[in-house]
Amino acid sequence: AQSVTQLGSHVSVSEGALVLLRCNYSSSVPPYLFWYVQYPNQGLQLLLKYTSAATLVKGINGFEAEFKKSETSFHLTKPSAHMSDAAEYFCAVSTNTGGFKTIFGAGTRLFVKA
Amino acid sequence: EAGVAQSPRYKIIEKRQSVAFWCNPISGHATLYWYQQILGQGPKLLIQFQNNGVVDDSQLPKDRFSAERLKGVDSTLKIQPAKLEDSAVYLCASSSTDGEETQYFGPGTRLLVL
């Protein structure tokens, strides 16, 4: 069975600082991996996805993530945080085991301090 | 391109009452998902449709929850009777194919059961 673990329910950074949100997954078959962002009172929006092509994936708003199979990780980074990045971020894994199934992590809330 | 539409946006009911949510996916998207997002948690899949057939409803509490997608387009999710623990945001999402493809989310319906 697949699973997703996001380390840290809350992360706080200063504006301009590096953003690092951690995601580890468990899967018995090659996974597809996603990062979604959720702003208050809105649905989830895709930031980026890994689908077995390049291991370094670039997304919207300056975010990127690197798929590391040996570490079963898919951490999300952004070199310089902006106030508008404050939101909740969800990592998700999707696998095809007799039909695709997607599991979401519990989420990490990012706070950006001025 | 119009996004995923959901209504109502907010609903307050008393326990043991019934409630229904509506979702209209992006035009042409074959796969439709209903998620339950409890405060502080990631979305949990309740049911997944491929056109008008059910692909996965393993986590749907079938004694009180029901969903249908007649004609393979829009969908309704019903709770009858509601319990206090059903208080959550109900998210609808759609995708053009399942798994690898991006899921597009609606704004959600926030349900409060008193």
Side-chain angles (χ1 to χ4, degrees):
Chain A
Q2 71 218 54
S3 66
V4 179
T5 302
Q6 290 185 240
L7 300 175
S9 59
H10 298 85
V11 170
S12 181
V13 301
S14 298
E15 192 173 23
L18 172 72
V19 175
L20 171 60
L21 305 182
R22 301 177 187 273
C23 173
N24 287 89
Y25 69 92
S26 170
S27 174
S28 58
V29 298
Y32 299 117
L33 296 161
F34 305 79
W35 275 99
Y36 286 86
V37 60
Q38 186 176 34
Y39 298 102
N41 298 316
Q42 296 185 27
L44 281 69
Q45 175 187 357
L46 181 74
L47 272 180
L48 49 81
K49 63 181 178 182
Y50 166 77
T51 57
S52 73
T55 57
L56 181 62
V57 181
K58 294 187 183 297
I60 61 172
N61 301 337
F63 284 94
E64 62 182 36
E66 185 173 8
F67 171 67
K68 292 187 176 180
K69 183 178 179 180
S70 61
E71 299 178 7
T72 61
S73 69
F74 191 57
H75 301 332
L76 181 70
T77 60
K78 181 174 181 178
S80 177
H82 191 272
M83 296 296 288
S84 61
D85 294 327
E88 185 123 28
Y89 292 80
F90 294 94
C91 182
V93 59
S94 181
T95 57
N96 189 357
T97 51
F100 276 102
K101 186 168 184 178
T102 301
I103 301 292
F104 284 83
T108 297
R109 183 165 294 279
L110 177 65
F111 296 92
V112 182
K113 299 175 290 185
Chain B
E1 178 181 76
V4 176
Q6 289 188 249
S7 67
R9 290 295 313 274
Y10 305 91
K11 191 73 177 180
I12 301 174
I13 62 173
E14 295 186 350
K15 59 183 179 183
R16 292 187 289 274
Q17 286 186 324
S18 62
V19 64
F21 312 128
W22 174 82
C23 172
N24 188 256
I26 291 174
S27 178
H29 279 191
T31 308
L32 185 148
Y33 313 78
W34 281 104
Y35 290 91
Q36 179 191 59
Q37 186 179 19
I38 292 173
L39 186 65
Q41 299 180 20
K44 182 184 83 171
L45 180 69
L46 291 176
I47 189 166
Q48 177 179 339
F49 293 95
Q50 182 81 11
N51 296 309
N52 61 347
V54 176
V55 173
D56 183 353
D57 63 355
S58 58
Q59 298 193 90
L60 186 74
K62 298 180 184 64
D63 58 333
R64 299 185 301 105
F65 286 66
S66 65
E68 61 183 10
R69 192 184 184 197
L70 300 176
K71 302 179 183 178
V73 182
D74 55 353
S75 174
T76 56
L77 176 70
K78 298 179 182 178
I79 308 175
Q80 182 179 11
K83 292 185 175 181
L84 297 178
E85 57 262 37
D86 298 332
S87 295
V89 176
Y90 291 85
L91 295 166
C92 178
S94 69
S95 67
S96 56
T97 59
D98 58 350
E100 178 180 348
E101 293 300 317
T102 301
Q103 293 186 33
Y104 295 85
F105 284 80
T109 295
R110 186 175 298 273
L111 173 67
L112 178 61
V113 182
L114 302 175

